[in-house]
Amino acid sequence: FEGMTLLELSRRTGESVAVLQSILINVGETFSSEFDTISVDVAELLAMEIGINVRRQHSTEGSEILPRPPVVTVMGHVDHGKTSLLDALRNTSVAAREAGGITQHVGAFVVGMPDSGTSITFLDTPGHAAFSEMRARGAAVTDIVVLVVAADDGVMPQTLEAIAHARSANVPIVVAINKCDKPGANPEKVKYQLTSEGIELEDIGGNVQAVEVSAAKSTGLDKLEEALLLQAVDMDLKARVDGPAQAYVVEARLDKGRGPLATIIVKAGTLVRGQHVVIGSQWGRLRAIRDMIGKTTDRATPAMPVEIEGLKGLPMAGDDVIVVESEERARMLSEGRKRKFEKDRLLKAEEARIEEAAARM
Ligand code: GDP
Ligand code: MG
């Protein structure tokens, strides 16, 4: 793009001059007209920002695409056993057993099915807030929702809320009817209630699977895992494996010794140690990548949750991770995004003030 004018660039890329200008303003570039020519650095930045948009729309064009594991979120009413179910599932993972049951909390874990060579990635943060927050930031991380309903309690307000979340995100549900070990368990009643809510269970010819489990007794977990894999096959989940990684933050924390740490899940491509990344408005260089049992690794592939180290600041859940060529560019894009976030924040505050003033009139 070097030496081109904004107008030419707009014609070449199909992006409007206004879009290109707004990117330039965001990174603090000044320009006086669409006939201004573009410097190398700015051209590369624009290419990257536009390239990202293009990649998002045609993420699989021109490279090898392979099946990928599903990423699953557990939702349901309070006390119906979301945390217990995640604990029980985590204990079925080979990695957890190899690590002597001690896995550090990294925000996600993988259950591998050695027989079929497949696996399932579970997000470790149950609940609707995390799901909504990620969605609000544009992160389509979850492929399948496990809806936990206690067999002795049935469908409750937050069950309905979870259904609504899954529906609005267009994410399929697999039902886990939990606490089936309890004397008062009535799975049939749960199914009836769900049917009344418009959930089309397989029993009545629909395509939503329901599995009876007990998180407390660790029963039915293999059936649940099977159901999730079946659902995944149905969805034909695939991802580009080679090329630059696209990933999402699922959790971030500050470690006293190691600094900001983020658990991320790769959506496409391969993340490689040493790469420069921009995450939301933060940036850094991948000093270390660790898997779910804390072992360092050189690369991360689609659906693999890893913890990364080397960021300059703390990102937020749902932030996107992109790989850039150099530290300079990482810093430039990060600063541009920070400026944009600040501008958006000020705009919102102003809008709120105007609304408030209007309400007082
Ligand atoms: P959450 O609020 O959905 O995360 O629910 P928890 O996992 O914290 O479980 C709430 C309570 O139900 C706890 O006292 C668990 O021990 C209990 N519980 C969870 N799963 C089962 C189960 O399968 N059977 C029985 N009997 N109790 C369970
Ligand atoms: Mg819980």
Side-chain angles (χ1 to χ4, degrees):
F1 298 150
E2 189 192 351
M4 269 193 196
T5 66
L6 267 190
L7 191 60
E8 281 166 345
L9 186 61
S10 163
R11 289 207 184 110
R12 283 275 290 271
T13 59
E15 290 284 355
S16 70
V17 171
V19 165
L20 298 177
Q21 284 182 342
S22 70
I23 296 173
L24 290 182
I25 293 169
N26 288 337
V27 298
E29 282 295 314
T30 51
F31 61 92
S32 49
S33 83
E34 60 199 52
F35 302 109
D36 278 5
T37 54
I38 300 163
S39 72
V40 191
D41 261 4
V42 171
E44 282 183 343
L45 178 81
L46 279 174
M48 185 171 65
E49 282 287 79
I50 299 164
I52 289 157
N53 291 337
V54 172
R55 257 216 314 276
R56 278 192 188 142
Q57 281 154 23
H58 320 276
S59 62
T60 54
E61 226 168 68
S63 47
E64 199 189 8
I65 307 148
L66 294 173
R68 67 165 174 85
V71 178
V72 175
T73 298
V74 171
M75 293 208 269
H77 196 69
V78 64
D79 281 346
H80 278 197
K82 299 179 293 294
T83 303
S84 307
L85 185 63
L86 282 167
D87 287 345
L89 286 165
R90 196 186 298 103
N91 287 332
T92 69
S93 83
V94 176
R97 280 200 296 275
E98 278 174 357
I102 313 153
T103 52
Q104 67 181 93
H105 177 80
V106 295
F109 62 91
V110 178
V111 172
M113 258 50 69
D115 296 345
S116 56
T118 51
S119 66
I120 305 168
T121 300
F122 288 93
L123 295 187
D124 217 349
T125 340
H128 310 170
F131 188 79
S132 310
E133 193 193 337
M134 303 254 270
R135 276 244 305 147
R137 330 200 83 235
V141 181
T142 301
D143 300 307
I144 306 169
V145 163
V146 169
L147 180 66
V148 179
V149 189
D152 60 339
D153 204 21
V155 170
M156 297 298 276
Q158 285 166 289
T159 317
L160 300 179
E161 208 182 283
I163 293 171
H165 277 306
R167 276 184 180 149
S168 71
N170 212 10
V171 173
I173 288 172
V174 169
V175 181
I177 305 177
N178 190 32
K179 306 200 187 185
C180 285
D181 60 293
K182 280 193 147 183
N186 190 346
E188 290 312 313
K189 186 174 161 201
V190 172
K191 288 185 190 172
Y192 174 78
Q193 290 175 326
L194 288 171
T195 304
S196 314
E197 295 301 331
I199 301 285
E200 297 179 347
L201 296 173
E202 274 185 337
D203 291 13
I204 56 155
N207 51 18
V208 178
Q209 305 175 82
V211 184
E212 296 177 20
V213 303
S214 163
K217 300 256 182 286
S218 283
T219 55
L221 301 183
D222 45 350
K223 290 242 163 55
L224 178 59
E225 290 167 0
E226 259 168 48
L228 288 168
L229 285 177
L230 209 63
Q231 179 67 47
V233 168
D234 231 38
M235 296 167 77
D236 198 22
L237 300 172
K238 286 184 170 157
R240 166 179 61 83
V241 177
D242 41 34
Q246 257 182 287
Y248 286 116
V249 174
V250 294
E251 210 177 86
R253 67 192 171 95
L254 204 57
D255 182 88
K256 268 205 179 126
R258 297 193 282 148
L261 301 175
T263 296
I264 64 167
I265 291 188
V266 176
K267 287 295 279 188
T270 298
L271 196 70
V272 183
R273 187 167 62 91
Q275 282 179 332
H276 299 278
V277 290
V278 175
I279 305 187
S281 59
Q282 305 296 340
W283 65 282
R285 182 164 179 269
L286 301 177
R287 196 163 57 218
I289 303 176
R290 284 187 186 79
D291 67 11
M292 61 177 272
I293 58 168
K295 218 168 66 190
T296 56
T297 170
D298 279 338
R299 41 194 68 228
T301 50
M304 188 170 160
V306 289
E307 189 177 68
I308 56 172
E309 184 183 323
L311 305 177
K312 306 289 176 203
L314 203 60
M316 289 187 276
D319 275 345
D320 61 331
V321 181
I322 55 167
V323 175
V324 295
E325 258 164 51
S326 68
E327 176 171 328
E328 243 171 341
R329 234 156 291 158
R331 194 195 308 247
M332 185 173 174
L333 187 57
S334 150
E335 276 165 14
R337 285 182 168 187
K338 272 188 189 127
R339 233 169 276 143
K340 181 174 186 330
F341 289 152
E342 180 57 16
K343 206 174 80 186
D344 289 350
R345 197 183 62 78
L346 289 175
L347 267 175
K348 271 214 190 91
E350 187 184 330
E351 271 168 22
R353 273 202 308 278
I354 289 170
E355 255 173 49
E356 216 176 280
R360 273 201 305 270
M361 280 195 342

